């Protein structure tokens, strides 16, 4: 580990250490139930396979990639980043997600994908750079659209094959190269439900780094078609009334914000 990193960290800087699961769970010290401060980096030095600064120009947060032995320490537990807003507030959740993506940028780009030479941090940008061939790799931000489709006071919700039991949400999917966001919204809703939409209107956006999505939310109106699941990603899709909603996504998600926005409009309450 680079000792200069911990020495340069600010007093309120955090040290976000992630395990190797796809979820990217973050380390919390069991004794004090906190994210360790960057100043405590020294204690974890021998347990990390890599670490580095989240940014060269802000508060000094650090990321660390945990080796398998760290999970065996009884004074440390790894928790899902999805739990952080409830445990420590939204600001710390957001910082942890930035740290997670900066960790992935580094540990997944040790070597150049074009020529195989070792890569290093870019001198100026948040990027990895190959000094042999000039290849520059930026953090992955996968653009995705999420769409709340309305019809006569009802909302279109689908059940994704990966959802918890009984969970439904508004439909979503990744943007394809060359598409506008609105085109992606129309295509994804049609592919997953066979519903054609119109009046696609921008709602808002949200980074969703599980592992690297950038979500763009839209409202839209039904134009034609009966909800029919694709049976591949979506196992059920149907119209829901405000008074008979199923198990919904958590409040931190833009999908829930879209649903709550619709509820406020059609029912006057959340
Ligand atoms: Zn190269």
């Amino acid at each position: 580990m680079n000792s200069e990193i911990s020495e340069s960290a600010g007093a309120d800087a955090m040290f976000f250490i992630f395990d190797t699961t796809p979820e990217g769970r973050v380390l919390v010290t069991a004794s004090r139930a906190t994210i360790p401060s960057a100043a405590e980096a020294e204690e974890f030095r021998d347990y990390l396979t890599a670490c580095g600064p989240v940014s060269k120009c802000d508060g000094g947060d650090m990321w660390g990639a945990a080796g398998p032995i760290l999970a065996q320490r009884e004074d440390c537990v790894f928790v899902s980043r999805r739990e952080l807003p409830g445990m420590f507030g939204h600001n710390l959740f957001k910082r942890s997600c930035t740290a997670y993506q900066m960790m992935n940028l580094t540990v997944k780009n040790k070597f150049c994908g074009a020529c195989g030479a070792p890569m290093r941090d870019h001198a100026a940008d948040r990027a990895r750079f190959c000094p042999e061939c000039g290849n520059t790799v930026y953090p992955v931000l996968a653009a995705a659209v999420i769409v709340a489709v309305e019809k006569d006071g009802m909302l279109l919700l689908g059940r994704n094959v990966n959802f918890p039991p009984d969970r439904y949400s508004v439909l979503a999917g990744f943007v394809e190269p060359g598409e506008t966001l609105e085109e992606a919204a129309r295509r994804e809703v049609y592919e997953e439900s066979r519903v054609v939409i119109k009046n696609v209107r921008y709602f808002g956006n949200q980074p969703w780094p599980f592992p690297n999505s950038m979500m763009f939310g839209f409202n839209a109106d039904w134009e034609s078609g009966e909800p029919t699941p694709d049976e591949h990603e979506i196992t059920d899709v149907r119209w829901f009334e405000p008074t008979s909603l199923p198990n919904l996504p958590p409040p931190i998600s833009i999908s829930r914000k879209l649903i709550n926005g619709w509820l406020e409009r059609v029912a006057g309450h959340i």
Side-chain angles (χ1 to χ4, degrees):
M1 195 183 76
N2 184 348
S3 62
E4 293 177 4
I5 293 171
S6 55
E7 288 165 8
S8 65
D12 64 345
M14 293 291 163
F15 190 45
F16 298 100
I17 297 172
F18 303 100
D19 69 8
T20 54
T21 59
E23 172 77 9
R25 297 179 306 171
V26 64
L27 182 143
V28 172
T29 53
S31 57
R32 285 167 294 125
T34 61
I35 302 285
S37 73
E40 294 174 296
E42 197 70 18
E43 178 182 347
F44 300 102
R45 174 205 296 236
D46 295 337
Y47 298 92
L48 304 179
T49 58
C51 73
V54 173
S55 168
K56 295 167 185 155
C57 59
D58 63 17
D61 286 347
M62 294 165 51
W63 59 261
I69 196 170
L70 184 55
Q72 298 171 16
R73 272 181 60 148
E74 292 183 354
D75 57 340
C76 298
V77 294
F78 286 91
V79 301
S80 167
R81 282 175 291 134
R82 297 168 199 263
E83 296 179 33
L84 294 188
M87 295 172 71
F88 305 119
H90 193 78
N91 178 266
L92 209 61
F93 165 70
K94 193 168 181 294
R95 286 162 64 184
S96 78
C97 291
T98 305
Y100 177 67
Q101 288 190 273
M102 293 309 294
M103 176 192 75
N104 280 337
L105 174 70
T106 302
V107 302
K108 294 182 178 178
N109 292 284
K110 293 176 183 171
F111 299 96
C112 176
C115 77
M119 299 192 89
R120 64 188 186 204
D121 287 343
H122 192 282
D125 295 340
R126 284 190 187 224
R128 295 283 282 174
F129 177 74
C130 174
E132 292 297 321
C133 75
N135 180 27
T136 303
V137 178
Y138 293 89
V140 175
L141 292 174
V145 290
I146 185 161
V147 193
V149 183
E150 303 173 37
K151 176 191 179 188
D152 300 332
M154 299 182 294
L155 186 67
L156 186 66
L157 298 175
R159 220 194 88 67
N160 188 287
V161 67
N162 296 316
F163 280 175
D166 302 326
R167 168 75 54 82
Y168 282 73
S169 179
V170 289
L171 301 179
F174 290 108
V175 180
E176 293 184 349
E179 273 185 328
T180 67
L181 297 175
E182 289 81 2
E183 287 169 346
R186 286 191 284 269
R187 177 185 53 75
E188 277 292 339
V189 170
Y190 183 76
E191 283 180 359
E192 295 186 350
S193 72
R194 288 295 181 261
V195 165
V196 177
I197 59 174
K198 62 182 180 182
N199 301 330
V200 179
R201 310 175 298 279
Y202 180 67
F203 171 81
N205 66 81
Q206 180 183 55
W208 193 246
F210 299 95
N212 51 28
S213 296
M214 181 69 200
M215 307 294 294
F216 296 90
F218 290 89
N219 290 110
D221 298 323
W222 173 86
E223 182 171 279
S224 64
E226 289 299 315
T228 307
D230 67 3
E231 302 290 356
H232 176 61
E233 284 183 74
I234 303 296
T235 58
D236 186 28
V237 59
R238 62 176 88 164
W239 299 107
F240 284 88
E241 306 268 358
T243 53
S244 59
L245 289 171
N247 177 7
L248 297 173
I252 62 167
S253 63
I254 193 171
S255 53
R256 185 62 171 271
K257 291 182 173 71
L258 277 161
I259 294 168
N260 286 350
W262 165 76
L263 267 176
E264 283 183 335
R265 285 198 305 282
V266 299
H269 68 274
I270 296 176

